[in-house]
Amino acid sequence: MISFRRNTQHWLGMAGVGLAAAGLIAALFSFVLANPDDYFFSAGGDGLQSYFVTTYYALYDSGAHFSGMNYPFGDNFTYPNLQPLIAWLISVLQRLGIPAAEHTVGITNLVALLSVLVTPMVLYAILRRTRMSVLYAAALALIIGFLSPQIQRLGDHMSLSYACFVPILWYFIIRMQEEPLRLRWYGLFVVSSLLMGFVQPYFLACGSFYLLGHVLVLALRRNRSVAQLGRMVVAALLPLLLFRAFLWATDPITDRPPNPYGFLTYMATPRGVFTPYLEPLRSLWVTLFKTEEISFESMSYVGLVGTGVLIISALLLLGRLWLRRHKPRRMLGRSLPQHLQTSLWASALLLVFAFAVPFIFPGFEGWVQYLGPLKQFRALGRFAWPFYYALSVYSAYYLYRLLRYQRQHGVPLLALPWLPLLLAFWAAEAWINISTKANAVEQGIGAKAYLDPATSPVQQMSWAGRQPSDFQAIMPLPYFNKGSDRIDLDGSGASAYQGYKMSLAMGLPVLSTYIPRSSIEQMLRHVQLLSSPLVDKPLLRQFPSDKPILLVVTPDNLSPEEQRLVSIAKPLLKTEGATLYELPIAALAATSLATERAKAAALLPTLPQRAGGLYATTDRGIVHDSFDKSPDRRGRLAPGALYEPIEKQTMLYEGPLPTPADTGRYEASVWINGKMDYGYGFLQIKQFSGGAQVSEQIADGRLAKEIAGDWVRMHIIFTPQKNVDRIQVLYGSRDLLADDLLIRPLNTNVYWLDDQKKPVLNGYQLGQ
């Protein structure tokens, strides 16, 4: 009878948590629940991109291929942030005749809110297994669930917002320890983490690493079971291996960036974990303690109550170690449940990894290159999430023990009110967390009109005698290409917004890329479309047809390269927010190479030859370094190139101006290999007068648009300052392979012959 009563109370508590969570979500997100299709949780940036790729896949794709970006290649559907499992299910329903794809935004929104609802229920189950009363566990489950740092991911990173995923995997880990011979829990962990990986691979990695952390902690115990540890290791590694096997079978791309940016940037920090980052507490905290701003990826805030409990526990731990040095095994006290103690230590290990320890210490940065596939999980701050849940449950248990101690000793709550006040403050922080996000989401109305084909300019195109089938792809301008960790062209929020809208309405892919870990070769060929007429565009020969490209141009500042594309296109019509142009493939493919070859053939015999086989159209000084004497023979036009493997600022040239006392404009250019293992760094010009630096200019390699073959041209146009007697040309990068440095007056063209005796103009190869 007692067992039945307790079981009934437990399930009534679970139902109460669910009803309370549902009521809070209904109150805060009532506008979304009433019109789920009409709200973008984020109407720009990563959030809008996520909605676009998910909707495009659901409407037009199937299987493991996504065709909506990176035309004509597309990409594997695990990379474009489209929540593959959810998008695939919507696509299946669409193929079965159920019109689910048109409700992709609403489905995505409701699934995300469902996760918020489920999170306190899972936490309630964990708290109950940590020997807490029904009422207390229910209240704390709601507080911990709604303070989850993942709630702030709703919108910009929808695939990372599923706050219930980590607690679910943690619950299975707890049950593995309680019932080590029940294979059910190992199987549920493997299946669940694998499915979560097909929503966002970080959850798969986080769950597997967290389980391995438990294995390490349990392995240090005297009464450890080797068989149990073996089963846990298999459960941790099997989903990782299965996921990798799936990618191996479905992903043909072999040149994804091996060293993505961010491993030592997007990490957790003590400020992000232990100090508030939402108003009004953030301003108060900064006023009191003068701390710096917190980067988004470092945010895994545990709450001030959790921080306080951790500090008190650490002080007590130090006291026990001092007083009982001969009994270190009693560090956390005998009353702490074994599984919670293990989980707390395991999450602490993962937190250390989230802090990028030891790689942040001087001398250890180079170790990152030996981490292999682990480097792909570059946003280390996300691995702090298990610590949030473990510390929060530990804090709840700690306060629960104090409350019970008060009751057992007959101390009324009003006599020591600080415990209820702590819980009230904890609840207030949870309210700030969830309500702040709800207020932000409310600003995202308009998704239904955005996705409605009737609101797009497709109908108006008939006025210009055009229809969607007349084009093969859409190119937004300003142009964006992001995700390769080499070139990083942002475009504009407006161009992405209008480009996505036209793509969904017309069913045409985007000739642009916003896909993490995208192919370096494909990126180079895409950005090359913006290169000058001196560069051939081989990507155009891979297009399946000669239909024109539809340019969607928004009223933003266009770069010279983008302006050139508009100049060779035909205007179609002007719509609200964008102007449409028809860009013929022949116009995009046209080059000036034949003209320049003919000009060189006529001009070179009339020009005197200078040292190094150079020809110049004026008598002003020039500097050219072909690096033909360098030991590295991977040259661009001929053997020999400058190679610098370590990260540093490499001196390409130091000396006087090519023409001393010249005040005209100069161009310094160099070609770097675009397929090296690290990013493109920066080109830098420094000017000196009398030993003092008087000027500095930098060109960011991420913004380069001039690409010939596998080589990227970096250049800076500069005007010598008064009395300059020395300049430096430097390149800051790692794994740098550079060739053909040229410093020339801007009004002077420089020719030379490559190793095949073909003419080269200012570094551009003119020969066929």
Side-chain angles (χ1 to χ4, degrees), residues 376-545:
Q376 298 299 320
F377 297 102
R378 59 181 175 180
L380 294 184
R382 300 167 187 177
F383 291 99
W385 293 339
F387 181 77
Y388 165 78
Y389 294 107
L391 179 62
S392 296
V393 170
Y394 169 73
S395 300
Y397 180 80
Y398 193 94
L399 296 180
Y400 178 71
R401 293 279 297 178
L402 291 177
L403 283 169
R404 196 169 70 168
Y405 179 86
Q406 281 189 222
R407 292 183 58 189
Q408 290 174 344
H409 290 76
V411 180
L413 289 178
L414 294 179
L416 292 174
W418 56 274
L419 278 174
L421 289 176
L422 280 179
L423 296 179
F425 181 82
W426 201 350
E429 284 203 284
W431 170 260
I432 291 172
N433 193 49
I434 187 71
S435 62
T436 299
K437 178 51 63 175
N439 292 335
V441 169
E442 195 170 8
Q443 310 306 313
I445 192 170
K448 186 177 293 184
Y450 178 80
L451 296 172
D452 186 355
T455 65
S456 73
V458 174
Q459 303 299 327
Q460 297 171 258
M461 290 179 62
S462 61
W463 304 344
R466 297 292 184 271
Q467 56 186 348
S469 60
D470 293 335
F471 303 92
Q472 60 177 310
I474 291 170
M475 188 176 194
L477 296 180
Y479 176 79
F480 57 87
N481 195 299
K482 300 175 68 67
S484 67
D485 292 305
R486 300 296 185 272
I487 299 294
D488 189 16
L489 301 175
D490 288 331
S492 72
S495 69
Y497 187 89
Q498 297 294 338
Y500 296 157
K501 180 179 177 67
M502 289 296 295
S503 175
L504 292 173
M506 300 176 71
L508 294 176
V510 177
L511 184 58
S512 193
T513 303
Y514 197 152
I515 300 175
R517 319 298 195 281
S518 54
S519 162
I520 295 175
E521 164 66 20
Q522 293 172 8
M523 175 275 295
L524 290 172
R525 302 291 77 82
H526 276 89
V527 177
Q528 195 175 54
L529 296 180
L530 275 68
S531 297
S532 70
L534 286 169
V535 174
D536 181 42
K537 282 74 172 182
L539 177 66
L540 300 177
R541 295 189 283 274
Q542 296 182 266
F543 282 7
S545 76

Side-chain angles (χ1 to χ4, degrees), residues 107-405:
I107 293 172
T108 302
N109 292 341
L110 293 177
V111 170
L113 290 181
L114 178 62
S115 169
V116 179
L117 168 65
V118 171
T119 302
M121 301 173 71
V122 180
L123 289 168
Y124 170 81
I126 293 173
L127 291 164
R128 288 285 291 151
R129 303 207 77 82
T130 316
R131 302 198 299 266
M132 299 184 203
S133 67
V134 169
L135 185 60
Y136 183 86
L140 268 294
L142 291 167
I143 292 173
I144 298 171
F146 288 122
L147 186 56
S148 168
Q150 291 173 259
I151 286 177
Q152 292 304 313
R153 301 282 180 162
L154 286 167
D156 285 337
H157 298 144
M158 192 72 84
S159 63
L160 292 167
S161 69
Y162 298 98
C164 65
F165 281 5
V166 172
I168 287 173
L169 296 178
W170 183 22
Y171 180 80
F172 294 149
I173 294 173
I174 292 173
R175 299 310 299 269
M176 289 180 201
Q177 297 172 77
E178 293 177 342
E179 301 176 284
L181 298 180
R182 295 287 295 272
L183 296 181
R184 172 197 305 174
W185 305 115
Y186 303 94
L188 285 172
F189 181 91
V190 170
V191 173
S192 297
S193 59
L194 188 59
L195 291 176
M196 292 172 189
F198 282 105
V199 173
Q200 171 54 252
Y202 272 95
F203 288 115
L204 170 59
C206 195
S208 295
F209 295 171
Y210 194 27
L211 180 52
L212 289 174
H214 281 76
V215 172
L216 182 59
V217 174
L218 291 172
L220 299 176
R221 293 181 179 167
R222 293 180 180 177
N223 59 345
R224 61 186 179 274
S225 168
V226 176
Q228 179 191 6
L229 297 181
R231 288 189 291 269
M232 295 175 78
V233 169
V234 171
L237 297 181
L238 184 58
L240 289 172
L241 296 175
L242 291 174
F243 188 79
R244 188 66 191 89
F246 172 84
L247 290 180
W248 177 82
T250 61
D251 183 17
I253 295 177
T254 58
D255 67 335
R256 299 190 186 277
N259 300 288
Y261 173 79
F263 194 89
L264 296 178
T265 303
Y266 303 138
M267 58 188 182
T269 63
R271 290 193 305 273
V273 174
F274 299 113
T275 66
Y277 50 79
L278 293 176
E279 298 297 344
L281 293 179
R282 179 61 187 164
S283 294
L284 178 61
W285 184 273
V286 171
T287 300
L288 293 175
F289 298 102
K290 307 298 182 183
T291 55
E292 300 176 3
E293 284 299 316
I294 302 171
S295 64
F296 186 71
E297 285 292 353
S298 71
M299 296 178 182
S300 293
Y301 179 48
V302 298
L304 290 181
V305 172
T307 300
V309 169
L310 180 63
I311 292 173
I312 292 172
S313 298
L315 292 175
L316 291 175
L317 174 60
L318 292 175
R320 287 176 182 173
L321 289 175
W322 177 257
L323 295 175
R324 304 178 182 180
R325 295 187 296 275
H326 59 289
K327 294 182 180 180
R329 58 190 175 88
R330 300 180 60 184
M331 287 191 302
L332 285 176
R334 292 173 294 180
S335 62
L336 189 64
Q338 194 69 58
H339 69 78
L340 179 56
Q341 180 180 343
T342 304
S343 296
L344 194 58
W345 284 113
S347 69
L349 291 175
L350 212 52
L351 180 66
V352 170
F353 177 64
F355 285 155
V357 174
F359 311 106
I360 56 173
F361 299 137
F364 289 87
E365 305 94 331
W367 289 20
V368 174
Q369 63 181 312
Y370 303 112
L371 294 180
L374 194 61
K375 289 182 291 185
Q376 298 299 320
F377 297 102
R378 59 181 175 180
L380 294 184
R382 300 167 187 177
F383 291 99
W385 293 339
F387 181 77
Y388 165 78
Y389 294 107
L391 179 62
S392 296
V393 170
Y394 169 73
S395 300
Y397 180 80
Y398 193 94
L399 296 180
Y400 178 71
R401 293 279 297 178
L402 291 177
L403 283 169
R404 196 169 70 168
Y405 179 86

Side-chain angles (χ1 to χ4, degrees), residues 527-595:
V527 177
Q528 195 175 54
L529 296 180
L530 275 68
S531 297
S532 70
L534 286 169
V535 174
D536 181 42
K537 282 74 172 182
L539 177 66
L540 300 177
R541 295 189 283 274
Q542 296 182 266
F543 282 7
S545 76
D546 59 358
K547 292 181 179 181
I549 303 299
L550 179 65
L551 295 184
V552 178
V553 184
T554 55
D556 300 286
N557 291 328
L558 299 182
S559 68
E561 297 85 357
E562 293 161 345
Q563 292 174 15
R564 188 184 73 83
L565 294 184
V566 172
S567 71
I568 61 176
K570 175 184 176 181
L572 291 180
L573 61 97
K574 188 171 184 178
T575 70
E576 183 180 357
T579 304
L580 307 184
Y581 294 81
E582 179 182 293
L583 177 58
I585 297 299
L588 186 56
T591 70
S592 59
L593 291 173
T595 300

